[in-house]
Amino acid sequence: MRRRDFITTSIAATAAVPLAAPSIARAQDSFSWNMTNAYGPGAPFYTVGPGSPEDFAEKVREMSGGRLTIQNFAAGELIPALEGFDAVSAGTVEANAANSYFWSGKTFAAQYFTTVPFGLSFQGHMAWLYHGGGLDLWQEVYEPFGVVAFPLNNTGIQMTGWFREPVESVADLQGLRMRIPGLASQVYETLGVEPRLLPGGEIFPALERGVIDAAEFVGPYQDRRLGLQNAAKYYHTTGWHEPATTGELLISKSAWDGLPDDLKMIVRVASQATVLESLAWSEAVNGDALVDLVENQGVQASVLPQDVVASLREATADVLETNAAKDEMTKKVHDSYMAFKKKHDAWTAVSERPWVTEILGG
């Protein structure tokens, strides 16, 4: 057969064979998700604005060319604030934005993925999640519930909180009624505090009416927006309890498995982008907000006394070790986190710490 005839025959034969293109068709499928939220309408960072769930949804829409659209419902618009985990687990909604420590009643291990008192910084926490096995453990912890999770945003280090009276000694914690979530609530409780878990929108009225004596939320910008400075004037700063508070994107396992690989990658990349953007935004706005609170609104800002911090550190170690010993999965997460922290602390000791204390401080 002549070469020209062979090429012509081959092309004709190929054209006659139906193309097997289910993967191509699949890649063009469109998906529409509903995402609930633990935080109220209009909340910067937590609902709208840079690094927020709505920002994440917009990034996904644009990167996917509209093939994956996500509608974000603030707390109370579709379900109550703290019912997102159950809604996603049941498949009622495809996704939820919150913090994993809200689900400590389901599994104590969930709290490690938000932050740990006296734990890793933002840099260290992200390093553990993405390159220290933390993200894989997050999926393992949630597997029995039929959900998957990814970091969504990060506040960086938070503030200790607002107090109607200053904390000058450990004795001042006895009987204190405080809005405080996560591991810190258990630590405080060992020192006599009565912890309360309240959604963001309920903090100010509770503090103003004296239902609680103290409250922790986020940092200067977010706290000022809630008006907490109008309910209490003593602001204890650098938070021992939340050094790197990470938001959670929770996704139904069935919804996640239903996405093609390219959309899964878009979700992953968009969530990483909102983590970075949210932290950058928080760092950009908190300094000016703190200056305003102190100079214009009569707030007295100070760190906790060292003896109080020492007692909190000791109590934290006891709470973590006690709970890790109770549950195999929690122990697995705890051991991973602490082993990574030990290595990262050694690096921080020759990088960040000298930069702050000797280079800048000098």
Side-chain angles (χ1 to χ4, degrees), residues 162 204-205 207-208 220-233 293 297:
W162 299 85
F204 173 76
L207 189 59
E208 183 186 41
Y221 185 93
Q222 301 277 21
D223 295 358
R224 182 182 62 176
R225 180 180 176 275
L226 291 188
L228 301 184
Q229 72 278 10
N230 298 317
K233 292 298 184 183
L293 288 168
Q297 303 198 46

Side-chain angles (χ1 to χ4, degrees), residues 36 93 156 159 176 260:
T36 49
V93 297
M159 300 292 98
L176 190 78

Side-chain angles (χ1 to χ4, degrees), residues 152-167:
L152 180 61
N153 44 32
N154 197 291
T155 66
I157 193 163
Q158 295 199 4
M159 300 292 98
T160 295
W162 299 85
F163 297 78
R164 295 166 69 90
E165 298 293 334
V167 175

Side-chain angles (χ1 to χ4, degrees), residues 38-112:
Y39 296 91
F45 177 100
Y46 288 107
T47 307
V48 299
S52 69
E54 290 198 0
D55 184 21
F56 163 76
E58 180 61 19
K59 285 175 167 58
V60 169
R61 186 191 66 79
E62 290 191 16
M63 285 193 285
S64 70
R67 288 170 47 225
L68 175 55
T69 59
I70 304 172
Q71 184 173 359
N72 180 54
F73 293 90
E77 291 181 341
L78 202 60
I79 61 172
L82 301 180
E83 294 186 10
F85 190 98
D86 289 338
V88 174
S89 182
T92 305
V93 297
E94 288 81 10
N96 183 72
N99 299 97
S100 63
Y101 59 23
F102 289 142
W103 325 129
S104 62
K106 299 182 182 298
T107 169
F108 187 90
Q111 300 180 93
Y112 287 79

Side-chain angles (χ1 to χ4, degrees), residues 44 220-222 224 278-291:
Y221 185 93
Q222 301 277 21
R224 182 182 62 176
S278 61
L279 178 78
W281 177 81
S282 297
E283 290 293 303
V285 300
N286 274 326
D288 289 345
L290 182 60
V291 169

